[in-house]
Amino acid sequence: MPNLSMTVNGKAVQGEVEARTLLVQFLRENLDLTGTHVGCDTSQCGACVVHVNGAAMKSCTMLAMQAEGAEVTTIEGLADGDTLHPMQEAFRNNHGLQCGFCTPGMVMSAIDLVNRNPNPSEEEIRDGLEGNICRCTGYHNIVKSVAEAARVMGS
Amino acid sequence: MPDGINTGIGASVTRVEDYRFLTGQGTYTDDINRPGQAYAYILRSPHAHARINGIDTTAAGAADGVVAIYTGADMQTGGLPCGWLIHSRDGSPMHEPPHPPLAQGKVRCLGDQVAIVIADSLSQAKAAAELIEVDYDVLPAVVDMKAAAGGGTLVHDDIGTNVCYDWVIGEEGDVDAALAGSAHVTEIDIVNNRLIANAMEPRAAVSDFDRATGEYTLYTTTQNPHVIRLLMGAFVLSIPEHKLRIVAPDVGGGFGSKIFHYAEEAILTWAAGKLARPIKWTAERSESFMTDAQGRDHVTTAKLGLDANGKFTALKVETMANMGAYLSTFASSVPTYLYATLLAGCYTTPVIFANVKAIFTNTVPVDAYRGAGRPEATYLLERIVNKAAKEMNLDPVEIRTRNFIPSDAFPYQTPVALQYDSGDYMATLKRAQELHDTAGFAARRAEAEARGKKLGLGYSTYLEACGIAPSAVAGALGARAGLYESAEVRVHPTGSVTIFTGTHSHGQGHETTFAQLVSERLGVPLENIEISHGDTNRVQFGMGTYGSRSLAVGGVALDKALDKIEAKAKKIAAHILEASTEDLEFNDGNFTVAGTDKAMAFGEVALAAYVPHNYPIDEIEPGLDEQAFYDPANFTYPGGCHICEVEIDPATGVTEVTKFTAVDDVGRVINPMIVAGQVHGGVAQGIGQALLEEAIYDPEGQLLTGSYMDYCMPRADNLPSIQVAHETTLCTHNSLGVKGCGEVGAIGSPPAVINAVLDALTDFGVEDIAMPATPARVWQAIQDAKA
Ligand code: FES
Ligand code: FES
């Protein structure tokens, strides 16, 4: 089995994987980073979104081998000790999550969205999160969370 | 309140559970791994109906990594039971065909379980499954309910019919007479589209068996672990409760679909016992689409009688409800006691008759999905009421207010069994109109018209029965279980508190709301309160979470246990403070003796209970740990008004919800932030049903909407912001005055959306449209009306 190394949440990691192993499997099964979730098998729900070299990526849609040498950030790597990332904080303050299953992917996508568009309108937030399905919240409070986080991240 | 911060009833405290979810530290079933665990893949039927002549597992059994393969021939256990016995109008019990966990000679729907392959890795299990040869005789499938009701192809040969039951409520003769004497009769044919719950976490299970103790453990994605223990232990596998532990860890949404006892739970538990090895199974999303029990799927005709003033005189309803291929756990109760008993809605209709035929088809089983029966009743009522208004030239608001049960008429006995305890339908309607600015609608419509768009406004004034519910009533109606709830309050020696509740949180935020109830009563800060749920080895008992029952039944059980804690603590404090209990007051976590400066903090009382040196030991036992079971006297009756505004592009049929207002009466609100979130989510699912979602089968019983590419889930850009407010009347028969809020959004909203769509299409003469009102359907309706 091929050997693989990358940086995940700031730490150098390596592992042996089958060539067909998906990045999400490597994260969940080899590294036990189970915060990244799998919600579908057609690359449509966004529960698996992580950052690869700073950009949001559906980790179910990428082979682990394709992340060789990359900097990967997962939901586990966002908070600084007990201090949450402003996006995490905003989701908590605005009740942007219920069951929490879509949440890791939603938060990772939302950070990428704000990185690319620091001052998004409601419509831009809704468009930008089109690749992430949430069945619980009706998105209302997610949109509020992202808008608030954008304000905090910009200040 | 502790530290001057309000964490009690009515405070929008942020959620205790969020930290773990936001940092990726939730523990969902698929996150659990047991030492030495094997992986299961379930081989499923690709056909909707077929006879199995033989299954050859020789090659598969020899494949790499395979631990075991089992088929129905190996697994000869009990079948999956149905929890609710309905009787037909002739007195005969419903047909309950066997529901084997692994197919016995025949498959009856797509996805039916044929074999389980267990291997050292999932990829090995999958690869081996491909080597299994199943010799099928494919049989014609029956998918359409009307065809199925007429006979022909039988889903279950031995029962000789596809009609599971033919049930009635009300006096048909009285209703026919009232209709005959009515000034006007409005008729409607209506379909409630089949939906798929689609909780974002796919179902999963990890089973284990401990040879040393003989104990089975099953981690599973369920809303009610004790119910699974009861059903699987007693009916399917014959494992007694003390040897069977069910754990529902963090569960990623349920919406009803995770209430039911599923075949995979039984197969995995049974196989773990055979192999004495842990086994993990996680559904792929395509498996969820074809094996999670689906929702709704009613075909109905109805007649509403009205007098010359537009007062309702009678309602007659004939419904066919799809059961799918087998009876799922609560399937039989949904179109009867959760549907037909709701047909009075919030109106004074004096006589009502309903006939419900439950039909077997070669489709995936249908069971409760958020609202369960009540959205179907509400959709029918709110559509027929609007149609009647149009036919009688009445304003849709006017016809409703003429028929509302007046706020001074409670308790109100409906003609369909229920007795409503409280409500004020005028208040929710008025508040919704103000919030929505319905007065400004005409101007908004003119503005849209100028842009070539059609604006429509739709109302739904709904009522629902939830807080499921009184055991005796449910039992008389056919329930095979009780529907109480239990709570235990364990006060620890240093004053922190663990609550054990039989309800289960899978997004609803019980860890916060229930802690608020405790904080309010005992003055203990939230961080010193832990809510334990979801593990049958920790929690005494419980019926779980569905039917908006957690707070209205489980929360009230907790309140009763807190009563006992307070009473006992008072006795201890009275003894130590040398006062009589009557002179003691308990506020903000402190016992004080009226008229003196004697005081004792709750934490000190807790310590005294466990260090009983100076203690009324002749009178009471040491310790501070109390339990309560609560069986409510009645259902609870939330209600309200939803107003929807849609904008339609007549050139394309694209329909956008531009404004949505929900004013609900859910009784006392414990955490307004969480309640609003529940309403948002429910409304989103209701808008999904009305505009986007539908499970579609082809005539061979193949599911055409089996992935997110074909089943249209609401996404952020399909939905508007939702305005939410409350008008409160308290529930009169529980100590908290709460009614429940989990389902109101999904129940109230679909007819508001469709009534808005039809309002927008009035100029074209469109009078009916089916859900989901997709752009294609809206465009076609416009073309057909023009032709
Ligand atoms: S798991 Fe659904 S998009 Fe990756
Ligand atoms: S919070 Fe449950 S799916 Fe989004």
Side-chain angles (χ1 to χ4, degrees):
Chain A
M1 282 199 287
N3 240 307
L4 175 68
S5 55
M6 64 180 88
T7 306
V8 178
N9 300 331
K11 276 193 225 122
V13 299
Q14 47 194 3
E16 277 194 353
V17 295
E18 289 181 65
R20 62 180 165 178
T21 303
L22 300 170
L23 178 58
V24 68
Q25 292 172 315
F26 181 68
L27 294 170
R28 286 182 59 82
E29 289 160 27
N30 294 52
L31 304 181
D32 202 26
L33 292 170
T34 54
T36 300
H37 296 153
V38 177
C40 73
D41 46 13
T42 52
S43 221
Q44 284 180 311
C45 75
C48 62
V49 170
V50 299
H51 291 180
V52 177
N53 296 329
M57 191 67 74
K58 286 179 169 168
S59 62
C60 73
T61 311
M62 186 174 180
L63 295 169
M65 297 297 295
Q66 289 174 291
E68 166 71 39
E71 297 264 353
V72 175
T73 307
T74 70
I75 190 75
E76 289 93 342
L78 278 186
D80 180 4
D82 278 349
T83 312
L84 296 179
H85 183 283
M87 189 62 74
Q88 292 170 308
E89 193 62 49
F91 268 68
R92 175 158 74 179
N93 291 339
N94 293 282
H95 191 26
L97 65 155
Q98 291 182 24
C99 78
F101 196 80
C102 73
T103 309
M106 199 64 88
V107 166
M108 298 311 283
S109 291
I111 292 172
D112 186 57
L113 185 159
V114 174
N115 285 344
R116 286 182 287 111
N117 178 1
N119 192 14
S121 65
E122 174 177 340
E123 205 185 329
E124 288 168 336
I125 295 172
R126 288 184 180 276
D127 281 348
L129 294 179
E130 202 261 349
N132 292 73
I133 305 178
C134 174
R135 191 54 150 171
C136 295
T137 64
Y139 306 98
H140 181 103
N141 286 340
I142 290 179
V143 173
K144 266 171 67 183
S145 305
V146 178
E148 182 184 297
R151 282 193 298 275
V152 175
M153 286 163 71
S155 66
Chain B
M1 285 302 115
D3 303 321
I5 299 163
N6 185 3
T7 56
I9 290 175
S12 281
V13 283
T14 56
R15 298 198 320 168
V16 174
E17 43 273 83
D18 285 356
Y19 181 80
R20 72 173 187 275
F21 294 141
L22 280 165
T23 53
Q25 298 179 85
T27 304
Y28 300 87
T29 301
D30 188 57
D31 301 340
I32 293 170
N33 294 300
R34 306 292 299 159
Q37 118 194 329
Y39 294 80
Y41 179 79
I42 301 210
L43 182 71
R44 300 181 180 281
S45 170
H47 308 294
H49 198 191
R51 194 168 292 111
I52 299 175
N53 296 323
I55 304 175
D56 185 351
T57 62
T58 325
D64 270 0
V66 170
V67 176
I69 299 175
Y70 299 114
T71 68
D74 305 301
M75 190 179 176
Q76 297 284 330
T77 63
L80 306 176
C82 178
W84 207 298
L85 174 66
I86 300 295
H87 284 87
S88 287
R89 63 204 303 177
D90 65 4
S92 60
M94 68 183 188
H95 293 291
E96 285 186 84
H99 187 180
L102 283 171
Q104 301 286 339
K106 214 178 166 194
V107 286
R108 295 184 176 82
C109 62
L110 182 71
D112 222 348
Q113 301 74 222
V114 174
I116 179 171
V117 184
I118 300 160
D120 290 330
S121 77
L122 181 58
S123 46
Q124 287 169 330
K126 275 188 183 180
E130 295 211 351
L131 302 175
I132 296 180
E133 286 188 25
V134 187
D135 176 8
Y136 289 110
D137 258 354
V138 179
L139 301 168
V142 54
V143 171
D144 177 70
M145 275 199 280
K146 279 190 183 138
T153 299
L154 292 178
V155 180
H156 298 275
D157 301 319
D158 353 341
I159 59 177
T161 172
N162 289 322
V163 180
C164 173
Y165 57 74
D166 178 355
W167 173 89
V168 295
I169 189 169
E171 293 300 328
E172 187 167 17
D174 294 353
V175 171
D176 285 341
L179 287 172
S182 295
H184 181 78
V185 175
T186 293
E187 298 189 28
I188 202 164
D189 290 321
I190 217 160
V191 173
N192 205 284
N193 43 326
R194 184 189 271 241
L195 302 176
I196 300 177
N198 270 306
M200 289 317 297
E201 179 204 21
R203 286 192 298 113
V206 179
S207 60
D208 203 349
F209 177 68
D210 183 340
R211 232 196 262 273
T213 60
E215 189 182 78
Y216 292 83
T217 302
L218 179 71
Y219 299 87
T220 181
T221 47
T222 184
Q223 303 176 209
N224 29 239
H226 291 87
V227 174
I228 302 305
R229 187 180 65 172
L230 184 68
L231 295 176
M232 184 171 80
F235 294 92
V236 188
L237 301 181
S238 301
I239 303 171
E241 280 97 334
H242 68 295
K243 294 292 183 198
L244 180 55
R245 175 184 180 199
I246 309 289
V247 184
D250 287 326
V251 172
F255 316 112
S257 70
K258 291 173 183 168
I259 298 172
F260 323 119
H261 176 34
Y262 284 98
E264 295 85 358
E265 294 170 324
I267 302 171
L268 252 82
T269 306
W270 174 83
K274 299 223 49 119
L275 299 172
R277 184 170 172 185
I279 307 168
K280 178 188 247 186
W281 167 80
T282 303
E284 295 176 8
R285 177 58 60 184
S286 37
E287 257 180 308
S288 307
F289 269 104
M290 63 175 147
T291 65
D292 291 3
Q294 301 181 349
R296 317 280 192 257
D297 206 350
H298 283 195
V299 174
T300 296
T301 62
K303 290 182 184 153
L304 178 68
L306 300 100
D307 72 12
N309 293 320
K311 285 277 278 179
F312 307 155
T313 56
L315 177 67
K316 183 169 187 177
V317 174
E318 308 269 351
T319 292
M320 283 204 291
N322 205 335
M323 295 287 104
Y326 303 98
L327 283 178
S328 174
T329 312
F330 285 122
S332 53
S333 67
V334 175
T336 47
Y337 294 107
L338 296 178
Y339 166 71
T341 55
L342 251 286
L343 289 169
C346 48
Y347 308 115
T348 55
T349 317
V351 285
I352 297 173
F353 170 80
N355 170 220
V356 179
K357 292 188 180 76
I359 311 293
F360 289 117
T361 58
N362 292 115
T363 62
V364 173
V366 178
D367 205 324
Y369 164 59
R370 202 171 196 169
R374 290 150 291 164
E376 294 90 317
T378 302
Y379 183 63
L380 168 62
L381 280 179
E382 294 304 293
R383 286 287 314 276
I384 202 169
V385 163
N386 256 39
K387 190 164 188 232
K390 196 162 203 180
E391 289 173 1
M392 294 193 73
N393 233 342
L394 280 169
D395 181 83
V397 173
E398 180 62 27
I399 198 169
R400 286 177 167 82
T401 57
R402 282 188 197 178
N403 287 283
F404 275 163
I405 298 163
S407 59
D408 59 5
F410 296 93
Y412 180 83
Q413 179 64 51
T414 75
V416 273
L418 301 180
Q419 192 188 71
Y420 304 161
D421 65 338
S422 64
D424 188 342
Y425 311 125
M426 229 26 204
T428 45
L429 170 69
K430 286 236 158 72
R431 181 85 184 281
Q433 287 182 308
E434 279 161 27
L435 256 185
H436 193 89
D437 182 24
T438 48
F441 175 72
R444 294 195 292 276
R445 177 175 250 178
E447 184 275 329
E449 196 76 44
R451 291 183 284 113
K453 302 287 174 64
K454 293 288 180 190
L455 212 62
L457 186 77
Y459 282 85
S460 162
T461 50
Y462 73 93
L463 168 130
E464 64 134 330
C466 68
I468 293 174
S471 296
V473 177
L477 301 179
R480 286 164 164 159
L483 286 162
Y484 45 82
E485 197 43 80
S486 88
E488 180 180 334
V489 178
R490 185 176 300 167
V491 181
H492 302 291
T494 59
S496 66
V497 181
T498 304
I499 302 300
F500 300 89
T501 173
T503 64
H504 184 273
S505 181
H506 30 281
Q508 297 89 338
H510 299 166
E511 291 170 39
T512 306
T513 309
F514 283 26
Q516 287 180 259
L517 294 177
V518 176
S519 180
E520 169 90 18
R521 283 293 292 275
L522 303 182
V524 175
L526 290 185
E527 59 270 27
N528 290 351
I529 303 164
E530 170 86 15
I531 307 297
S532 179
H533 61 103
D535 183 343
T536 59
N537 270 19
R538 294 195 80 192
V539 176
Q540 54 291 344
F541 200 72
M543 294 307 295
T545 288
Y546 42 83
S548 307
R549 70 191 301 280
S550 292
L551 186 60
V553 192
V556 178
L558 173 55
D559 199 45
K560 298 226 170 295
L562 288 167
D563 287 343
K564 295 184 187 176
I565 290 285
E566 192 177 323
K568 184 169 182 184
K570 211 171 214 181
K571 283 187 190 158
I572 301 169
H575 176 88
I576 295 170
L577 296 172
E578 296 173 339
S580 82
T581 49
E582 291 82 63
D583 292 337
L584 274 195
E585 284 172 7
F586 183 50
N587 282 311
D588 296 346
N590 279 303
F591 287 97
T592 48
V593 183
T596 74
D597 59 358
K598 288 203 225 172
M600 196 172 175
F602 179 73
E604 297 175 271
V605 178
L607 189 64
Y610 289 93
V611 187
H613 296 163
N614 174 15
Y615 197 81
I617 202 77
D618 297 336
E619 209 189 320
I620 51 176
E621 299 166 10
L624 198 51
D625 188 339
E626 297 286 349
Q627 204 178 93
F629 278 66
Y630 169 66
D631 200 330
N634 194 351
F635 293 94
T636 58
Y637 299 98
C641 176
H642 290 188
I643 304 179
C644 178
E645 212 163 298
V646 298
E647 183 174 303
I648 294 179
D649 181 346
T652 60
V654 168
T655 301
E656 190 190 345
V657 177
T658 47
K659 204 166 156 73
F660 197 102
T661 305
V663 176
D664 306 290
D665 175 1
V666 298
R668 192 188 310 284
V669 171
I670 308 300
N671 184 321
M673 177 194 82
I674 288 179
V675 172
Q678 289 294 309
V679 175
H680 296 152
V683 167
Q685 289 178 9
I687 293 175
Q689 167 161 38
L691 296 182
L692 306 169
E693 299 178 40
E694 184 170 28
I696 303 171
Y697 290 86
D698 75 3
E700 277 79 51
Q702 291 296 329
L703 180 64
L704 299 181
T705 51
S707 82
Y708 288 142
M709 304 207 271
D710 314 292
Y711 186 92
C712 188
M713 291 284 280
R715 291 174 185 260
D717 57 353
N718 297 125
L719 294 170
S721 281
I722 298 159
Q723 300 187 77
V724 175
H726 307 291
E727 281 293 321
T728 301
T729 63
L730 297 180
C731 171
T732 61
H733 59 81
N734 67 45
S735 57
L736 295 173
V738 297
K739 298 184 178 180
C741 67
E743 295 161 298
V744 293
I747 292 169
S749 57
V753 179
I754 295 297
N755 286 338
V757 169
L758 291 174
D759 184 49
L761 299 178
T762 308
D763 289 352
F764 299 108
V766 174
E767 294 193 340
D768 187 24
I769 195 146
M771 294 195 292
T774 58
R777 275 198 179 136
V778 171
W779 185 86
Q780 193 62 52
I782 296 171
Q783 308 315 309
D784 291 351
K786 276 184 187 161

